[in-house]
Amino acid sequence: MSSKYPWSVRGCLPLCALTLEAALILLFFFFTYYNASLEDQEGLVASYQVGQDLTVMAALGLGFLTSNLQRHTWSSVAFNLFMLALGVQWAILLDGFLSQLSPGKVVIKLFSIRLATMSAMSVLISVGAVLGKVNLAQLVVMVLVELTVFGTMRMVISIIFKTDYHMNLMHIHVFAAYFGLTVARCLPKPLPQGTKDKEQIATRSSLSAMLGTLFLWMFWPSFNSALLRSPIERKNAVFNTYYALAVSAVTAMSVSSLAHPQGKINMTYMHNAVLAGGVAVGISCHLIRSPWLAMVLGLVAGLISIGGAKCLPVCFNRVLGIHDSYGVHYTFGLPGLLGEITYIVLVVLRTVWAGYYMIGFQVLLCTGELSLAMAIAVMSGLLTGLLLNLKIWKAPHVAKYFDDQAFWEFPHLAVGF
């Protein structure tokens, strides 16, 4: 039996992907070069190690994190790698062109790859809200659009609010979560009954998703400290991230048991809430001077994550019409908002302690950054969702949602799909 996979994807996806890759190669050929200066060997090794940590988080952590559905595991992991590989190439060029004051060739450094990997992770987070409801051609479009918008947003925030790399990139959790949720709002909703069995969480798949959670949990201190320049700030970021992650892990296990009538632990809540502390502490990790504050932040983030996962899905699905495939809102969105609010409070307190009297101005700046990031995320997510709804992409029918057979060859099956 011939494959029922849409011709537009079977025929156009390889052509479009290879044409895009050829275009990227030409852009790298004409507009990039390696830095010829000698770098300090010790600093080079340290920078490469941080880059490795980020790659493990992106490829293994976020790849396996979204593999908990019983019939949508291959696509979750493999599509994640495809988007990461494509996104890093585009982000290197985009960040290089946007950061230059005058047109010219882009210098490629290890820092360029590190920054591009972190930028590409914004797409990998957003996709968690739509994965299983889109095909690979739609994901290519989403990678290009979201990375372009995210890079432009970072440049605008840097120019207007005079922020550094760490600060403008740490809006990634809020931006990516609400971009993905807005795209999900525009897509057709899964059938109430037809895809219910496909959304069930299998034991083996849930274990692989927990493996992704563990990779992210172990390497999150590297993510939060990767772009900080000062050794003291990097030390504070690493320490505070560890404290927040530790407390959110304990909170996730305890509160999950408390929320169940029979005291049983929900693995889905573990996937969401274990990482909440690292997300919440990200933007302010270098400002926190005492471990207890990071621990409190991890505790509150874990509570908010589990509370949101337990109480808000009905509101999102029925009232707002948003189907969040993998709990992006509770893993990244709500803890990210908590982190943004905490950062505003810390900036105000530091302003007061320093004896300055421009508190209102500081609050306005911090609130402006957050508002701008969320506004751009929602507007660009809406436009992307409308773009992905075009018939040219031949999106999967709602009856084929969350099914690997729509995209992969299964040798043990007698017929194609």
Side-chain angles (χ1 to χ4, degrees), residues 148-183:
T148 302
V149 174
F150 184 62
T152 305
M153 182 206 73
R154 288 179 46 243
M155 181 195 68
V156 170
I157 288 179
S158 178
I159 293 174
I160 296 177
F161 301 99
K162 309 299 181 184
T163 59
D164 58 12
Y165 283 113
H166 173 82
M167 294 308 302
N168 60 51
L169 194 136
M170 279 301 158
H171 297 297
I172 183 173
H173 306 299
V174 172
F175 176 89
Y178 290 100
F179 180 96
L181 291 171
T182 308
V183 174

Side-chain angles (χ1 to χ4, degrees), residues 309-328:
K310 188 171 180 62
C311 303
L312 292 183
V314 175
C315 173
F316 260 55
N317 290 339
R318 296 181 183 177
V319 180
L320 300 179
I322 299 175
H323 182 271
D324 186 359
S325 299
Y326 294 95
V328 169

Side-chain angles (χ1 to χ4, degrees), residues 98-326:
L98 291 177
S99 62
Q100 293 183 158
L101 297 178
S102 57
K105 287 194 172 184
V106 175
V107 183
I108 303 295
K109 303 178 181 177
L110 276 177
F111 182 82
S112 307
I113 301 176
R114 187 194 314 175
L115 182 61
T117 303
M118 297 180 74
S119 297
M121 289 174 71
S122 65
V123 185
L124 306 185
I125 292 172
S126 298
V127 162
V130 302
L131 204 57
K133 296 173 285 188
V134 292
N135 59 37
L136 200 52
Q138 291 172 295
L139 292 179
V140 171
V141 176
M142 190 168 172
V143 168
L144 297 178
V145 173
E146 182 171 358
L147 282 180
T148 302
V149 174
F150 184 62
T152 305
M153 182 206 73
R154 288 179 46 243
M155 181 195 68
V156 170
I157 288 179
S158 178
I159 293 174
I160 296 177
F161 301 99
K162 309 299 181 184
T163 59
D164 58 12
Y165 283 113
H166 173 82
M167 294 308 302
N168 60 51
L169 194 136
M170 279 301 158
H171 297 297
I172 183 173
H173 306 299
V174 172
F175 176 89
Y178 290 100
F179 180 96
L181 291 171
T182 308
V183 174
R185 173 66 179 81
C186 299
L187 297 177
K189 308 302 177 291
L191 295 174
Q193 299 298 330
T195 57
K196 187 175 182 180
D197 63 321
K198 300 177 186 178
E199 292 188 83
Q200 296 299 316
I201 297 175
T203 301
R204 183 174 298 179
S205 300
S206 187
L207 182 60
S208 68
M210 192 62 197
L211 179 64
T213 300
L214 292 177
F215 276 117
L216 291 171
W217 193 89
M218 289 187 295
F219 292 108
W220 210 281
S222 295
F223 180 85
N224 282 351
S225 62
L227 300 181
L228 293 170
R229 303 287 190 179
S230 167
I232 296 178
E233 289 184 345
R234 286 201 301 270
K235 180 198 71 173
N236 289 341
V238 170
F239 286 177
N240 290 321
T241 305
Y242 269 120
Y243 298 139
L245 285 168
V247 174
S248 64
V250 174
T251 303
M253 185 77 74
S254 305
V255 178
S256 177
S257 176
L258 181 64
H260 193 276
Q262 299 176 353
K264 295 184 178 181
I265 300 167
N266 187 313
M267 183 61 86
T268 302
Y269 294 168
M270 293 294 294
H271 297 160
N272 294 333
V274 164
L275 303 173
V279 174
V281 81
I283 193 169
S284 58
C285 57
H286 61 297
L287 299 178
I288 298 175
R289 304 299 182 185
S290 180
W292 70 267
L293 183 55
M295 296 169 77
V296 170
L297 195 55
L299 174 66
V300 177
L303 293 173
I304 289 177
S305 181
I306 292 183
K310 188 171 180 62
C311 303
L312 292 183
V314 175
C315 173
F316 260 55
N317 290 339
R318 296 181 183 177
V319 180
L320 300 179
I322 299 175
H323 182 271
D324 186 359
S325 299
Y326 294 95

